[in-house]
Amino acid sequence: MSSFGDVSSLTGLSTASRVWVPGPLASTMNLFAAVHATWSGAALVGGPGAATHAHLTPALLHRHLDDLAGVTVVVAGDRLSPGLCDRAVESGVRVHHYYGAAELSFVAWGSHADDLRPFPGVTVAVRSGEVWVRSRFVCTRYDGPPGPLRRDVEGFCTVGDRGVLADGRLTVLGRDDAVTTGGETVTVSDVEPLLQVAATGEVVVVGVAHDVLGQALAVVLTSASDLEPVRAAARASLAGARRPRVWWQVPDLPVTSAGKVDRAALVSLLSAADGRARRLV
């Protein structure tokens, strides 16, 4: 509840507001939105036509873009691309976007994924590429089995998300072993072995920016001749969010000083036009 006042100020929520939260309350972003609306005295409504405010993933924003003119939309659960943000604004939507985690609560707030600044009262640091946070919103402990939350002696916490902090803006790259696509989190280590068995070269799975899904699951092959057998393996054993959408060839994978695949560098390489990465069809 300590963040409720800040979110109300940022979004203009009041007792006169009507809030649409279409996603399942099992998701922490939706549960927060519903509880926050109740706390503020706002009404919860069943559709965009009656709403002054809405809480959506990027995929739901894209789906309902024509229905949201004049609505203040808070987008979370996935990366909101600048392109989709611009289209929403052109459609008359007032857009807010935030990055957070169940353990950390709000971390950064802005208009889209390239415009995130620390949330009020939150101190953000990036250490060795990992996002660390100190704030009054961080959870005290897990009520059950341990999870990814780690703390240091200075009170900073992390859940392992990677990121870059420059000029006061935080760019979140996600976790090394997870890709969030269309609001669903896919564990890379669950996908790569199923594809690797069909390949003669190396197979690496990463998340790449996608206007609608936030991220799309991409497969990077070191050998282009592996495309058809690996794609067949994907069709046979993977479905839904776990099925890759994009295919690339990079003959020489970038590696860290420890010799592991440098996934952040690989994602940057896929977006560069220097010829080392080739899109496969």
Side-chain angles (χ1 to χ4, degrees), residues 65-216:
L65 205 53
D66 294 337
D67 306 318
L68 294 167
V71 178
T72 296
V73 178
V74 180
V75 184
D78 215 334
R79 181 185 187 277
L80 175 62
S81 70
L84 180 54
C85 175
D86 289 344
R87 291 200 297 276
V89 171
E90 290 170 1
S91 298
V93 183
R94 293 182 290 273
V95 182
H96 298 269
H97 180 47
Y98 71 82
Y99 156 68
E103 299 91 341
L104 305 177
S105 188
F106 294 99
V107 175
W109 190 283
S111 58
H112 52 71
D114 293 343
D115 182 43
L116 294 174
R117 296 181 182 273
F119 188 78
V122 176
T123 302
V124 177
V126 174
R127 305 170 181 172
S128 300
E130 198 170 50
V131 179
W132 287 77
V133 175
R134 184 169 62 190
S135 80
R136 66 185 186 278
F137 310 127
V138 175
C139 76
T140 55
R141 62 182 177 84
Y142 288 107
D143 185 15
L149 181 68
R150 289 176 281 135
R151 302 177 189 272
D152 70 7
V153 295
E154 297 177 334
F156 279 87
C157 303
T158 186
V159 291
D161 283 332
R162 313 294 292 179
V164 176
L165 186 63
D167 299 325
R169 287 186 173 89
L170 176 66
T171 302
V172 182
L173 304 175
R175 300 178 197 178
D176 282 347
D177 196 38
V179 174
T180 302
T181 177
E184 295 187 44
T185 299
V186 177
T187 303
V188 168
S189 59
D190 290 341
V191 175
E192 282 183 349
L194 298 175
L195 304 181
Q196 184 64 67
V197 295
T200 58
E202 294 297 312
V203 176
V204 179
V205 177
V206 295
V208 295
H210 190 281
D211 274 356
V212 176
L213 301 174
Q215 286 184 299

Side-chain angles (χ1 to χ4, degrees), residues 217-276:
L217 208 62
V219 174
V220 181
L221 307 171
T222 56
S223 173
S225 63
D226 284 333
L227 176 62
E228 290 310 316
V230 173
R231 183 176 276 165
R235 287 194 295 264
S237 58
L238 300 170
R242 298 174 74 234
R243 181 174 290 179
R245 292 173 174 265
V246 187
W247 301 81
W248 291 83
Q249 182 199 13
V250 176
D252 298 305
L253 299 172
V255 296
T256 66
S257 58
K260 297 181 179 180
V261 175
D262 189 335
R263 294 176 185 271
L266 183 57
V267 171
S268 296
L269 180 61
L270 299 185
S271 63
D274 63 2
R276 285 183 290 170

